[in-house]
Amino acid sequence: MHQSTKLRSLSMSCPPHSSDEMDAELGGHGTGKPPRPCGSNMGRSRGIRNHLSCLSQKSDSLSDFSTLQHDAKHSQALKTSQSRIMYIFRSHRRLTADETRRWARSFDLLLSHKYGRSAFRAFLQTEFSEENLEFWVACEDYRKTRSMNKLPAKARRIFQEYIDVQAPREVNIDYPTREMTKRNLQHPTLSCFDLAQLRVRSLMERDSYPRFLRSDIYNELVTHTQKSPC
């Protein structure tokens, strides 16, 4: 009697199911009917697909924006550099086609010429690597320092600007060269940057210099000097 009462209690606590509801719960097995799709799950699936699609579109948009930013910076740098080239030509009419062509004979001839360095720097700006030439020039200036009392401050300034890790205008040199230059600063001499300067110069001569000779900046300057009556 007690067991019968429990069964009646359980049957009353569970609401009756229709045959369709039972089929849905059973997945349609045993009835021959296909399972009824769950609307809430389908809605969630559509929401997830829409969200992923939105994220994908945002990612593509950010990528496109980054590309546009880089292109805009490059275009602006190119315009600035071309303006500087025209300024060099117009301000220094004595610059001849022979001089500009001579820059192609050797990297030393380019660096030793005032306007050659200016033209090369204008090109490096289009590649966002002008810090290499500026470091080389800073080292040349440092080596000409006459007062030994000024060496520590000048050496420290060059190191912090170009060589130190995460320096604002950090040049690309290897770790041993950086560490050796850092040790040289403990007792600064006129030659304490020689190795670092050599590394940067070799990098420019090997990578940037050939591209400079093929660039529109250099070839336009040669063309303008050829047209000049001087």
Side-chain angles (χ1 to χ4, degrees):
M1 189 73 173
H2 179 68
Q3 184 176 3
S4 172
T5 303
K6 287 179 65 178
L7 289 172
R8 281 198 301 273
S9 175
L10 288 170
S11 64
M12 291 176 65
S13 64
C14 298
H17 294 290
S18 67
S19 59
D20 290 340
E21 289 173 342
M22 292 178 67
D23 289 344
E25 289 177 0
L26 293 173
H29 297 297
T31 64
K33 296 181 181 180
R36 186 174 63 182
C38 177
S40 61
N41 288 338
M42 290 177 66
R44 280 197 297 271
S45 297
R46 282 196 298 269
I48 291 172
R49 285 197 298 271
N50 291 339
H51 183 63
L52 291 175
S53 176
C54 181
L55 288 176
S56 177
Q57 290 174 1
K58 287 183 178 179
S59 176
D60 292 341
S61 297
L62 288 173
S63 177
D64 292 342
F65 180 69
S66 298
T67 302
L68 286 173
Q69 275 190 321
H70 180 271
D71 291 344
K73 288 181 180 178
H74 179 78
S75 177
Q76 183 60 39
L78 186 59
K79 288 179 181 178
T80 301
S81 300
Q82 288 173 335
S83 298
R84 179 168 295 176
I85 289 297
M86 294 308 299
Y87 172 78
I88 292 171
F89 173 69
R90 289 168 182 166
S91 301
H92 310 288
R93 292 287 183 172
R94 295 179 182 176
L95 185 62
T96 66
D98 287 340
E99 288 178 300
T100 56
R101 283 195 295 265
R102 197 175 296 127
W103 300 343
R105 295 179 186 173
S106 75
F107 191 49
D108 285 329
L109 289 174
L110 175 69
L111 291 181
S112 63
H113 198 287
K114 178 181 178 180
Y115 307 135
R117 289 195 305 272
S118 296
F120 187 52
R121 183 177 184 274
F123 167 74
L124 292 178
Q125 284 183 321
T126 67
E127 297 195 335
F128 307 102
S129 60
E130 67 270 20
E131 68 276 359
N132 291 326
L133 181 61
E134 291 174 357
F135 170 69
W136 184 87
V137 172
C139 291
E140 290 293 294
D141 177 71
Y142 174 82
R143 197 179 293 109
K144 297 174 184 176
T145 303
R146 294 183 179 181
S147 174
M148 299 302 291
N149 294 330
K150 295 181 179 180
L151 286 183
K154 292 184 71 172
R156 198 162 46 247
R157 185 164 58 250
I158 292 174
F159 184 85
Q160 293 173 351
E161 182 74 13
Y162 298 102
I163 297 181
D164 203 5
V165 177
Q166 295 184 343
R169 304 180 65 75
E170 184 179 359
V171 294
N172 185 16
I173 57 174
D174 56 275
Y175 176 79
T177 301
R178 177 181 287 109
E179 289 302 301
M180 179 178 293
T181 306
K182 187 175 181 179
R183 289 194 297 271
N184 290 343
L185 261 64
Q186 296 175 2
H187 304 286
T189 64
L190 293 176
S191 61
C192 67
F193 290 106
D194 282 3
L195 181 59
Q197 185 186 23
L198 178 62
R199 293 281 189 268
V200 171
R201 184 198 177 285
S202 298
L203 177 66
M204 290 191 294
E205 183 176 19
R206 182 178 65 252
D207 294 340
S208 303
Y209 177 56
R211 290 196 296 273
F212 165 71
L213 296 179
R214 296 192 300 267
S215 70
D216 291 339
I217 291 177
Y218 173 67
N219 287 289
E220 284 177 10
L221 187 56
V222 172
T223 300
H224 281 297
T225 54
Q226 286 175 337
K227 293 179 180 178
S228 172
C230 297

